[in-house]
Amino acid sequence: MSIYDTLNDKQQEAVFYTEGPLLILAGAGSGKTRVLTHRIAWLIDQIGVNPWNILAITFTNKAAGEMRERVDQIVGFGSESIWVSTFHSMCVRILRRYIDRLGYDTNFTIYDADDQKTLIKDVCKYLQIDTKMFKERSLLSAISSAKDELVTPEEMTLRAEGDWAKKKIAQVYTEYEKQLKANNALDFDDLLLKTVQLLQTQPDVLEYYQERFRYIMVDEYQDTNTVQFKLVSLLAGKYQNLCVVGDDDQSIYKFRGANIMNILNFEKEYPNAKVIKLEQNYRSTSTILNAANEVIRHNTGRKEKSLWTENGEGEKIQFRQFDSAYDEADYIVSDIKDKVNSGKREYKDFAILYRTNAQSRIFEEKMVVSNVPYKIVGGVNFYARREIKDLLAYLKTVDNGKDDLAVRRIINVPKRGIGLTTIGRVQDYATEREISFYEAILAAGSVPGIGRALGKIESFAALIEHFKAEGERMSVAELMDEIIDATGYVEELQADSDEEAESRLENIEELRNKIVAYEESCEAEDEKPTLSGFLEQVALVADIDSLDEETDYVVLMTLHSAKGLEFPHVYLAGLEDGIFPSYMTITADDPAELEEERRLCYVGITRAKENLTLTCARRRMVHGETQYNKMSRFLKEIPLSLLSTGALFKKEQTEEEPKVSAYRQAKQAFATKAFAATKPAQQFTVTKGKGPGYDVGDRVRHIKFGEGLVTQITEGGRDYEVTVDFDTAGTKKMFAMFAKLQKID
């Protein structure tokens, strides 16, 4: 019996069809990874294709690793020649080789989201952009969307003609790109955009990769954006042997630029394309699948398919409605604990899924109290932590001296007595002469007005030059140790006795572990570990890649993070109108928004293998206000015959009229009295657009509590509520009007 006999008829058809465009519509749990790996094996084993001519693209490093492992098991010899990678990893490989054609050095830095925020702040400051009017986040989003759609700064400027606001955004985009290039840096969107530009402008490079990748397979095709579509089209342009796998019902990343039309219009782009539907599900029970089918059936913008299984009917879906979100969390955590205590389950069998990250807090609290091990996927990324960013900035400076952000981050970390005024003068000198910040540091003696700080800057420059020289002969792990020792970074942390310092030291240790693991993986693959290689790996890592399936803990994650995963028992929490689907979606004019949310619900349901529990609460605290919500319309789309409602349901079927929230009451009262009052009452309100004079992330001073960091600003009806983490007095919440906080420059 051959390995291909284990496939069902439709899977075999997809594996054996090798020439020309192919669209595989693979429903959730239909074995698409299996099809892809067997298809690669068939190409090599039976068709005689050179592994070197095969490219397989996935969306996560984890999926790429799994695919490579499976291919190795099936094919064995020669599989290492296949390119199995994410879009971004593939583009980095191409750019490392050819980006000098576009005017960059091949040792470019990849900027993460934090680096981008810092850069956009610098750009806004330089261009004197009012960040109250043009929010930094919105500007970054506009730039990202432009890059996704292959729009250059020049094009954006032309399109903005006559529109003042759009002209401002185009101006920011132009300067942002200019500074990126000066720093020899690319952001994530650039990795794709620059690769497309390279292939469009360098015919010899395009021809090389078209010849190389004669057979291309793309997983999760429903999540591709315009630039990814263009990249794939260019590479497959010559031989047309393009196989794309996806499920339009699982397209949930519109907010990241994903374009569902790429999969819906595939046959228009490739009129001779063959379409194969994989509808047999190997993951879930028929009850769970029937619920998923019934929900998604309400969407109109989709390709017709219906999942089925031979797994049997299974248990009914548990549905519970609670008075409050606290009751909901209590029930879920207790239910998990009971099932584990019965000896039939382990903690790792359970996942709690929710719509937004904010919903995790209550579950966390209950888990801690109940002594249940858990892990949140999608919290603060390890590489976004301060101490990790600091040490990586040292490594980036050694690797790419043109990276101004990295150099500026560490010039006074640990503290060396180099103040902001000095840094500003060095920056001005660099800007005037159009040189990098680090080059200006090396020429610090020529910087006017630098005075007594010269010696400190020169010793910093000598330190970096020492690291660069050591980096030539040291391994990455040894260089990291040298940086930690020579800078005294860890010593400074050790002198700090608080708990946070302890956790930071643990994080640094973990960073060192990651470097060693990187070096070992290079040696295993017979590759030379390099500093650039490690930094590249760090830049391309995704949070989901850190999920350890062997460790025994309950997983908490958003529905977006859960895509591609499966668990024996899933709890889908917060199923209320206003939460899921969100209030924004319900009130949006575009019906496509609600369809996207429904696809997200479909993804959540189809994560469950054996048991699914759906929960909602009558009231829930959102943004500091109690909301009374009806159960989600998605719940109502599931036939009652598939649900087990417990004893509670009798009470719940007579839905109470939602109480009006305090905020809405106040709003109504204001509306009725506004015209009746003869003398307007003195109002104490927040003047919109005028913030308290400082932002989240700024350092401030309080007359009683001393200095601290602003961690949150909430806009209330009467004033701004500010949360400050004070250096000595701990965390305090206060009203801006009374706190009289002073920003520290």
Side-chain angles (χ1 to χ4, degrees):
M1 183 174 158
S2 91
I3 55 166
Y4 307 106
D5 294 336
T6 59
L7 304 171
N8 67 40
D9 292 350
K10 288 290 179 188
Q11 289 176 330
Q12 284 183 355
E13 194 183 347
V15 166
F16 301 156
Y17 189 87
T18 59
E19 305 304 306
L22 170 65
L23 168 61
I24 303 173
L25 288 169
S30 61
K32 63 180 175 68
T33 309
R34 201 154 173 253
V35 167
L36 279 175
T37 49
H38 280 71
R39 195 170 184 273
I40 293 171
W42 180 261
L43 283 168
I44 298 167
D45 271 353
Q46 304 298 318
I47 310 294
V49 173
N50 186 334
W52 200 76
N53 292 132
I54 299 172
L55 168 67
I57 302 173
T58 65
F59 263 76
T60 66
N61 296 312
K62 190 167 182 271
E66 281 172 7
M67 191 178 288
R68 183 177 287 288
E69 265 176 48
R70 289 206 206 177
V71 172
D72 277 349
Q73 285 164 8
I74 300 172
V75 182
F77 181 72
S79 62
E80 67 280 352
S81 309
I82 307 164
W83 264 31
V84 184
S85 71
T86 62
F87 269 105
H88 290 101
S89 302
M90 175 187 79
C91 290
V92 169
R93 278 180 81 171
I94 295 171
L95 292 172
R96 288 276 181 228
R97 192 167 172 185
Y98 291 110
I99 199 168
D100 54 341
R101 304 265 190 110
L102 300 177
Y104 291 77
D105 288 348
T106 51
N107 66 331
F108 55 84
T109 300
I110 303 166
Y111 276 1
D112 63 14
D114 279 355
D115 298 328
Q116 286 178 268
K117 282 178 201 162
T118 308
L119 185 60
I120 206 84
K121 272 195 175 103
D122 290 349
V123 167
C124 290
K125 198 172 171 184
Y126 176 71
L127 295 174
Q128 296 177 326
I129 300 286
D130 182 359
T131 52
K132 297 277 187 303
M133 188 180 287
F134 295 95
K135 296 273 188 281
E136 288 155 2
R137 197 191 306 176
S138 305
L139 290 169
L140 279 172
S141 176
I143 292 169
S144 181
S145 297
K147 289 182 178 184
D148 283 352
E149 295 300 319
L150 298 162
V151 175
T152 61
E154 295 76 23
E155 240 178 294
M156 189 186 267
T157 306
L158 285 170
R159 290 183 189 182
E161 204 56 55
D163 187 318
W164 179 80
K166 283 182 179 172
K167 277 174 86 170
K168 279 285 177 200
I169 296 168
Q171 192 187 356
V172 170
Y173 183 15
T174 306
E175 183 60 30
Y176 174 83
E177 282 301 284
K178 187 180 163 189
Q179 292 205 22
L180 268 177
K181 195 161 185 186
N183 290 355
N184 194 37
L186 302 180
D187 63 22
F188 259 73
D189 299 310
D190 278 331
L191 296 176
L192 299 160
L193 180 62
K194 299 297 177 199
T195 307
V196 168
Q197 288 174 351
L198 180 75
L199 297 177
Q200 285 175 325
T201 58
Q202 308 296 319
D204 60 320
V205 178
L206 176 62
E207 191 183 359
Y208 171 79
Y209 284 109
Q210 282 180 339
E211 279 299 329
R212 167 131 200 211
F213 302 130
R214 296 186 182 200
Y215 292 86
I216 300 172
M217 277 158 272
V218 184
D219 196 6
E220 306 286 5
Y221 193 67
Q222 75 281 347
D223 295 332
T224 54
N225 57 25
T226 304
V227 69
Q228 287 164 334
F229 166 76
K230 186 70 186 172
L231 180 61
V232 169
S233 307
L234 283 164
L235 291 172
K238 187 169 185 179
Y239 290 99
Q240 301 274 302
N241 294 327
L242 173 62
C243 165
V244 302
V245 186
D247 181 5
D248 50 304
D249 290 335
Q250 295 188 70
S251 178
I252 58 172
Y253 293 120
K254 189 181 173 188
F255 67 99
R256 285 189 200 163
N259 184 355
I260 193 171
M261 298 318 290
N262 288 349
I263 194 164
L264 294 178
N265 290 340
F266 187 80
E267 294 126 288
K268 283 185 185 169
E269 286 297 325
Y270 298 94
N272 60 333
K274 185 174 179 66
V275 181
I276 298 170
K277 291 182 186 178
L278 304 181
E279 294 171 294
Q280 184 176 354
N281 174 288
Y282 293 91
R283 176 188 297 156
S284 309
T285 64
S286 63
T287 300
I288 291 168
L289 293 182
N290 291 340
N293 287 332
E294 287 298 319
V295 169
I296 203 66
R297 206 169 45 81
H298 289 79
N299 275 5
T300 54
R302 63 187 288 262
K303 291 183 179 284
E304 188 51 47
K305 61 186 147 330
S306 187
L307 296 180
W308 61 276
T309 186
E310 292 175 350
N311 287 350
E313 193 175 319
E315 291 179 21
K316 284 194 172 186
I317 295 165
Q318 300 294 314
F319 167 69
R320 298 287 184 273
Q321 187 177 24
F322 301 94
D323 277 339
S324 71
Y326 287 97
D327 296 337
E328 176 188 51
D330 202 32
Y331 170 80
I332 291 175
V333 175
S334 301
D335 196 43
I336 292 173
K337 210 161 176 188
D338 290 347
K339 285 183 167 71
V340 172
N341 289 342
S342 71
K344 291 175 184 172
R345 290 282 183 212
E346 295 177 275
Y347 287 117
K348 64 181 180 185
D349 294 334
F350 299 89
I352 304 172
L353 309 182
Y354 35 78
R355 179 64 183 84
T356 61
N357 274 312
Q359 288 166 260
S360 71
R361 184 185 60 81
I362 293 178
F363 291 109
E364 277 193 87
E365 286 173 6
K366 293 286 182 190
M367 297 264 184
V368 171
V369 171
S370 307
N371 203 22
V372 172
Y374 70 93
K375 175 163 181 176
I376 293 182
V377 175
V380 178
N381 188 314
F382 175 79
Y383 296 106
R385 291 171 178 151
R386 191 179 84 195
E387 58 282 8
I388 304 301
K389 293 279 293 181
D390 288 345
L391 291 173
L392 287 176
Y394 271 102
L395 292 177
K396 286 177 182 177
T397 302
V398 173
D399 189 51
N400 170 23
K402 290 182 180 176
D403 186 351
D404 286 4
L405 290 193
V407 183
R408 285 214 309 268
R409 182 179 184 97
I410 57 168
I411 190 168
N412 200 38
V413 173
K415 290 197 167 41
R416 303 187 170 89
I418 301 171
L420 289 174
T421 310
T422 302
I423 293 168
R425 282 174 181 153
V426 175
Q427 186 60 64
D428 291 346
Y429 182 84
T431 309
E432 278 166 26
R433 282 158 182 73
E434 294 188 346
I435 58 175
S436 72
F437 185 75
Y438 187 66
E439 285 170 320
I441 281 174
L442 292 175
S446 308
V447 176
I450 207 149
R452 285 182 298 176
L454 178 61
K456 295 166 185 172
I457 288 180
E458 283 179 340
S459 68
F460 170 72
L463 191 66
I464 298 298
E465 290 299 305
H466 163 72
F467 293 149
K468 285 189 174 193
E470 293 295 278
E472 296 287 324
R473 63 174 192 82
M474 283 181 169
S475 70
V476 184
E478 287 168 340
L479 176 63
M480 184 83 270
D481 289 344
E482 178 63 18
I483 289 170
I484 289 168
D485 288 346
T487 58
Y489 192 94
V490 166
E491 281 171 33
E492 192 173 72
L493 277 181
Q494 284 168 336
D496 200 340
S497 58
D498 69 355
E499 280 178 35
E500 204 179 331
E502 188 76 23
S503 100
R504 284 184 182 159
L505 288 168
E506 285 168 8
N507 289 338
I508 291 169
E509 191 55 41
E510 181 58 19
L511 176 66
R512 209 183 166 289
N513 294 344
K514 287 181 185 288
I515 294 173
V516 172
Y518 159 74
E519 290 179 334
E520 285 172 357
S521 69
C522 285
E523 282 161 23
E525 290 172 24
D526 218 20
E527 287 177 13
K528 187 176 182 293
T530 62
L531 178 55
S532 296
F534 172 69
L535 291 170
E536 187 179 298
Q537 192 184 77
V538 165
L540 297 174
V541 80
D543 203 37
I544 193 68
D545 295 332
S546 67
L547 183 61
D548 182 3
E549 288 164 9
E550 296 309 307
T551 310
D552 195 26
Y553 48 59
V554 178
V555 175
L556 279 69
M557 59 170 75
T558 64
L559 285 150
H560 282 101
S561 300
K563 190 164 167 293
L565 302 174
E566 57 182 46
F567 302 90
H569 199 134
V570 168
Y571 296 87
L572 195 43
L575 279 161
E576 303 125 40
D577 268 12
I579 303 293
F580 186 36
S582 67
Y583 181 71
M584 295 277 287
T585 305
I586 296 168
T587 55
D589 294 331
D590 185 2
E593 296 288 327
L594 188 63
E595 294 214 347
E596 175 105 351
E597 286 281 284
R598 189 174 281 110
R599 288 195 292 271
L600 193 55
C601 182
Y602 174 83
V603 165
I605 293 170
T606 53
R607 295 314 91 198
K609 292 163 76 173
E610 298 164 32
N611 303 101
L612 175 64
T613 302
L614 307 173
T615 63
C616 60
R618 290 190 181 87
R619 57 188 165 89
R620 182 181 299 274
M621 188 75 78
V622 180
H623 306 308
E625 179 194 324
T626 301
Q627 278 189 11
Y628 296 86
N629 298 318
K630 292 192 288 188
M631 68 171 71
S632 170
R633 61 197 65 200
F634 301 149
L635 267 171
K636 295 171 185 174
E637 291 168 359
I638 300 172
L640 266 173
S641 59
L642 301 174
L643 297 175
S644 167
T645 55
L648 297 169
F649 197 63
K650 293 283 180 281
K651 187 174 77 172
E652 283 132 21
Q653 274 187 321
T654 57
E655 253 179 61
E656 294 173 31
E657 195 63 38
K659 296 171 193 168
V660 182
S661 74
Y663 173 70
R664 290 206 182 96
Q665 281 175 341
K667 208 169 168 183
Q668 284 166 1
F670 181 77
T672 46
K673 290 173 188 171
F675 301 101
T678 50
K679 185 183 174 190
Q682 192 179 356
Q683 294 294 317
F684 181 55
T685 56
V686 175
T687 312
K688 303 293 179 207
K690 288 186 182 175
Y694 40 81
D695 288 314
V696 172
D698 285 343
R699 297 253 329 147
V700 292
R701 188 180 288 110
H702 185 270
I703 192 161
K704 180 180 173 187
F705 303 128
E707 293 183 7
L709 183 75
V710 179
T711 57
Q712 195 177 350
I713 300 176
T714 309
E715 200 170 285
R718 302 192 316 141
D719 196 0
Y720 289 95
E721 188 186 72
V722 185
T723 306
V724 183
D725 188 2
F726 288 104
D727 298 349
T728 52
T731 302
K732 307 282 181 190
K733 283 191 177 183
M734 53 195 77
F735 284 114
M737 182 71 77
F738 301 109
K740 294 189 169 51
L741 297 167
Q742 285 184 319
K743 184 178 171 183
I744 306 169
D745 291 324

